[in-house]
Amino acid sequence: MKPRLRFAPSPTGYLHIGGARTALFNWLFARRHGGTFVLRIEDTDQERSTPQSLQAILDGLTWLGIDWDEGPGKDGRHGPYFQMKKLDRYGQLAQQLIDAGWAYRDYSTEDELSAARKAFAAEKGLKEGDDLRSAGFKFTSPWRDKNQTLEKPALIRFKMPRREGRFGFDDLVLGRIEKPYDDFDDFVLLRSDGVPLYNFGCVVDDHDMAITHVGRGQEHINSTFPQLMIYEAFGWEPPRFAHIPLILGQDKEKLSKRRHPEADVMKHKENGILPHALLNFIARLGWSHGNDETFTREQLIEKFDFEHVGKANGVWNPGKLVALNQHWIKNTEPLEVAMQLLPYLQATGVPEAAVDAKLELGVRAFAERSTTLVEMAEKLKPYYVKGVTIDGAAAAKHLTPEGKALLQKAREELAKLTDWTTAALDPIVKTVADANGAKVGAVAQPIRVAATGNTVSPGIGVTLELLGRDETFHRLDAALR
RNA sequence: GGCCCUGUCGUCUAGUGGCCUAGGACGGUGCCCUCUCACGGCAUAAACCCGGGUUCGAAUCCCGGCAGGGUCACCA
């Protein structure tokens, strides 16, 4: 049987890096085994769900190259893929549970609940701000065994069986996990407005969508237990679960929107990170394959498994992400990098830039010198504008009378060239140095400063080819004046 | 607080009882290469949370501490 996996975000914000990794692991597993990857939208929190968030999540996944076989924009046989579109289904199933004695209508009001809380607090002698849960507050609805249907709104609670002992499941990454039955209260299945809560909607949908494996964050371990009870009540076979460790910020706190800008997937796009580099990085954060560090998309699909997902939380390491980014900048076809780079370059103020031979040459020259696409764009920009401002210190050091004399000689040699290529340009430096009894550096640096305004650039040959013949002479002559 | 999960260099990790004198990667340090900057190459410092067991033998198994995390809603 081909596996079916899903990613089920709630559209209440941008695509979080932890969510992206969860999506990636599920996607990799589905792809590896020729299965199906489903994208389901859990939009039952109407307070917080927004269309913008949905779009942001879709955009984030698309940017990362994580595609889905069923879900928004991809209808399948197991839809609808938005929970708010199947309220009737949840209602019918909840009624089924009531009929079977696994659930009941609860007409308790908020007032009654808070009265119970107050009574509990008074009995225990707790103060206003104290956490009732810590003190062991439990609420048992008086409607639990009444089995009544009244003409007023009710929420539907699951009736946890009063059992001794423990129950649990075999987690794909954590192994056996168990809890005592009496750890759980009757939990809410359906709100009084008929909208399902997470546990109920999740189980119904995973069943309806024939999900076989659920990879999700470890914060969901505890909700697995009530979900298991729902499966039992319906007599459904639960999927296999794989609880993935959390990603922590450098302060070792859970990655949060507020304190950790890196939690937003699209922030990395903005920072000039290649989508595949980010993919490689988050894959390695929590999963490993021996001593391997870099993986192509195909290798990731070929090697991924839940058994090698680690059990401990991981700390975000921006330095390693950047190192991986540089690795992929260097190890991706220059044409491909050029296409990714273009928008960043244009954004620096050179809208006329295009994916052409010049840009590809630029990528080849700067791949080893750039850690991000933003950095590469900034470094390439001077090759797209007319003229250059020469750095004072650089001029003072290299455009001395002696420097200028050598620069003049070099200019004369360059003028003789018919072929303006790196291969033809490179030897000029040594030729001029030899002819004048100077060191190569004494020739190269004045040229570099005159041509780029600075002491740092790729080799003289590529630098001048990138600049082009006309612009090179324009800048050299300006420096010689 | 109850319950649950976790604990190898600063960080990500390899490791599933002898192959471990604990390996790799990022970062650090030093050297080499070199027209600058990078890239690359070589070398180096750096870890099994603590304490008990089990075993001929434990980073690996068990127990207890300690530390970190998760969860306990008409959020997901």
Side-chain angles (χ1 to χ4, degrees), chain A residues 164-178:
Chain A
E164 297 292 309
R166 301 159 68 80
F167 70 120
F169 60 102
D170 294 301
D171 192 87
L172 256 21
V173 343
L174 261 13
R176 184 74 188 170
I177 303 176
E178 290 185 344

Side-chain angles (χ1 to χ4, degrees), chain A residues 195-210:
Chain A
V195 176
L197 255 66
Y198 169 66
N199 282 327
F200 191 52
C202 178
V203 168
V204 169
D205 284 355
D206 282 341
H207 172 263
D208 285 354
M209 295 174 187

Side-chain angles (χ1 to χ4, degrees), chain A residues 29 65 75 104 192 202 208 222 240 323 354 361 376 381 403 432:
Chain A
F29 191 90
D75 285 334
Y104 58 94
S192 43
C202 178
D208 285 354
N222 288 292
R240 301 299 308 274
L361 182 69
M376 199 188 288
K381 182 188 179 183
V432 174

Side-chain angles (χ1 to χ4, degrees), chain A residues 94-104 144-145 147 157-161 233:
Chain A
Q95 183 59 49
Q96 194 176 312
L97 249 24
I98 293 174
D99 295 343
W102 278 100
Y104 58 94
R144 179 178 161 101
D145 296 307
N147 196 21
R157 277 187 195 275
F158 186 82
K159 192 190 281 185
M160 272 300 287

Side-chain angles (χ1 to χ4, degrees), chain A residues 317-444:
Chain A
N317 183 345
K320 194 152 183 173
L321 171 60
V322 165
L324 223 31
N325 198 47
Q326 182 168 33
H327 170 87
W328 285 111
I329 286 176
K330 284 186 300 189
N331 290 280
T332 300
E333 285 301 314
L335 182 62
E336 168 65 25
V337 177
M339 291 192 289
Q340 300 259 12
L341 175 69
L342 186 63
Y344 297 88
L345 180 56
Q346 290 175 327
T348 65
V350 286
E352 70 278 14
V355 175
D356 53 14
K358 175 173 178 175
L359 187 57
E360 217 178 310
L361 182 69
V363 168
R364 287 179 196 279
F366 284 98
E368 292 174 346
R369 284 164 248 263
S370 310
T371 56
T372 69
L373 295 178
V374 168
E375 190 185 341
M376 199 188 288
E378 281 164 1
K379 288 183 171 173
L380 231 29
K381 182 188 179 183
Y383 296 87
Y384 280 83
V385 298
K386 297 282 179 210
V388 67
T389 306
I390 297 185
D391 177 72
K397 185 165 183 191
H398 298 288
L399 295 182
T400 55
E402 302 77 42
K404 283 188 176 181
L406 288 166
L407 182 58
Q408 180 60 44
K409 302 279 186 195
R411 195 225 180 277
E412 286 161 15
E413 283 300 314
L414 289 169
K416 295 177 191 165
L417 282 183
T418 51
D419 186 18
W420 199 262
T421 62
T422 303
L425 288 159
D426 255 339
I428 296 289
V429 176
K430 191 168 189 318
T431 305
V432 174
D434 288 351
N436 295 279
K439 290 183 177 177
V440 271
V443 178

Side-chain angles (χ1 to χ4, degrees), chain A residues 50-116:
Chain A
T50 66
Q52 292 82 356
S53 295
L54 171 63
Q55 195 55 50
I57 289 166
L58 264 30
D59 289 348
L61 291 172
T62 302
W63 179 65
L64 285 170
I66 297 175
D67 58 341
W68 53 97
D69 307 304
E70 297 174 22
K74 301 254 180 136
D75 285 334
R77 292 196 310 279
H78 300 269
Y81 298 94
F82 289 83
Q83 293 190 321
M84 287 308 285
K85 287 187 180 168
K86 50 189 295 188
L87 260 26
D88 290 350
R89 170 76 175 156
Y90 304 121
Q92 285 161 12
L93 254 10
Q95 183 59 49
Q96 194 176 312
L97 249 24
I98 293 174
D99 295 343
W102 278 100
Y104 58 94
R105 287 193 168 72
D106 184 352
Y107 298 93
S108 305
T109 61
E110 284 290 340
D111 290 348
E112 285 165 346
L113 199 92
S114 68

